[in-house]
Amino acid sequence: MIEVTEQGGLAVLCLAHGKVNAMSMEFCEALTARFAEIPPARAVVMTATGRTFSAGVDLVRLLEGGAPYIRKFLPVLSAMFATVFSHPAPVVAACAADKRLMARDGGRIGVTELLVGVPFPPVAMEIMRCAIASQFFAEAILSGATYTPLEAVARGFIHEVIEPHALLERAVAAATSLAALPPTAFALSKRQIHAPALERMQSPDLDAAIEQIWTAPKTLERVRDYVARTLRKS
C-alpha cells in the first residue's frame, strides 16, 4: 500500500494503493503510521505509482460502508492530513506539502467535494487555504473545478510543473535543498507559518456538522449518483 525507501538520507514514500490511490480508512491509517515511523528531522518525498497521485476519497468504499464507516473514516482522514501537514521536516509531494510538484502530463488537480455533495473537513479546508492563492481560494472550493498543471501553478495548488521523467529526481533535489537548512529553525518556522491553520483545524462544532452532512441519506444518494455517472462509467 505504501512503500518506504531511503534516498540520500531522505524518506521516500511511494503510494501504491490500487490504480489511483483512493483514500480508504486503511490507506489513511497506513500513511499516518508510516509518518510516525519517520524521525521528525528527516525530510520526506511522497510519490506514487501510475499517473495519479491520488484520486481523493474512495467513494465506492464510502457507499459500501455507509454512515457507520463514514463516522470512523472522517477522523482518520483528518488525522492523516494533519500528520503530513505538520511533519516538522520538509515534505515534498503533490499536496499538503512544503514543496508541491506535478508532472506536466499529470492530468488535473482540484477540489471536487462539492460536486459529490460533501463539505471539506476543517483540517483539509485549512490545508487548502494555505496552498491556494487567496484570490482563487473561494472559486477553487465552491466551483469544484479541476485545473491543468499550468493552471494549478497560477492558483498556488502546486509550485512547479516538471517533465514526467524528471519528477522524482526534482522532488529529491527540492527536499535535499530544504533539508540542508538548520532543522530546528526550519521546524519552528514551519510551525509559525502553520499556526493559524492548525488553530482553525480544532473545530468540534464544524466536525459534528460535517459528519451529519456526510452521513445523511440524501448525501449518500448524491454520492451514489456521482459514482454511477463518473467512476463506474470509466
Side-chain angles (χ1 to χ4, degrees):
M1 189 176 291
I2 299 169
E3 302 168 0
V4 184
T5 58
E6 185 173 320
Q7 186 168 335
L10 309 174
V12 179
L13 276 63
C14 182
L15 312 183
H17 180 48
K19 293 182 179 180
V20 293
N21 295 304
M23 293 182 285
S24 64
M25 184 152 58
E26 293 79 9
F27 173 84
C28 295
E29 289 173 336
L31 185 55
T32 300
R34 292 293 178 271
F35 263 84
E37 297 166 359
I38 298 169
R42 177 171 290 181
V44 178
V45 171
M46 291 176 60
T47 183
T49 58
R51 290 169 52 89
T52 304
F53 183 75
S54 175
V57 171
D58 187 337
L59 297 177
V60 174
R61 180 71 190 284
L62 208 73
L63 291 173
E64 290 172 350
Y69 171 82
I70 294 170
R71 292 189 183 97
K72 296 178 181 178
F73 170 70
L74 287 176
V76 172
L77 176 69
S78 292
M80 179 196 70
F81 281 136
T83 297
V84 176
F85 184 68
S86 302
H87 186 67
V91 178
V92 177
C95 60
D98 306 302
K99 185 77 171 180
R100 299 180 296 279
L101 309 179
M102 188 174 180
R104 189 170 299 278
D105 68 346
R108 303 176 74 87
I109 187 170
V111 181
T112 60
E113 272 66 17
L114 284 188
L115 300 183
V116 182
V118 294
F120 251 26
V123 172
M125 181 69 79
E126 295 308 325
I127 291 173
M128 287 294 97
R129 195 191 304 275
C130 287
I132 304 170
S134 58
Q135 67 269 33
F136 298 115
F137 176 66
E139 172 199 324
I141 298 295
L142 299 177
S143 70
T146 58
Y147 304 100
T148 66
L150 291 179
E151 291 170 336
V153 168
R155 287 163 172 78
F157 273 95
I158 59 173
H159 294 115
E160 293 182 42
V161 177
I162 311 296
E163 294 301 327
H165 69 275
L167 183 60
L168 180 57
E169 180 183 355
R170 174 63 188 128
V172 168
T176 300
S177 178
L178 290 173
L181 297 169
T184 303
F186 182 92
L188 181 57
S189 298
K190 181 173 177 176
R191 195 173 80 189
Q192 288 175 290
I193 292 169
H194 288 176
L198 293 171
E199 184 176 348
R200 288 192 296 265
M201 288 176 186
Q202 308 304 315
S203 183
D205 290 344
L206 270 179
D207 286 332
I210 286 165
E211 179 188 290
Q212 186 174 13
I213 294 174
W214 277 63
T215 57
K218 287 185 178 180
T219 301
L220 292 175
E221 282 301 317
R222 291 192 191 98
V223 173
R224 188 170 289 105
D225 178 66
Y226 182 85
V227 168
R229 287 185 291 105
T230 56
L231 302 187
R232 286 176 178 159
K233 186 181 294 184
S234 61

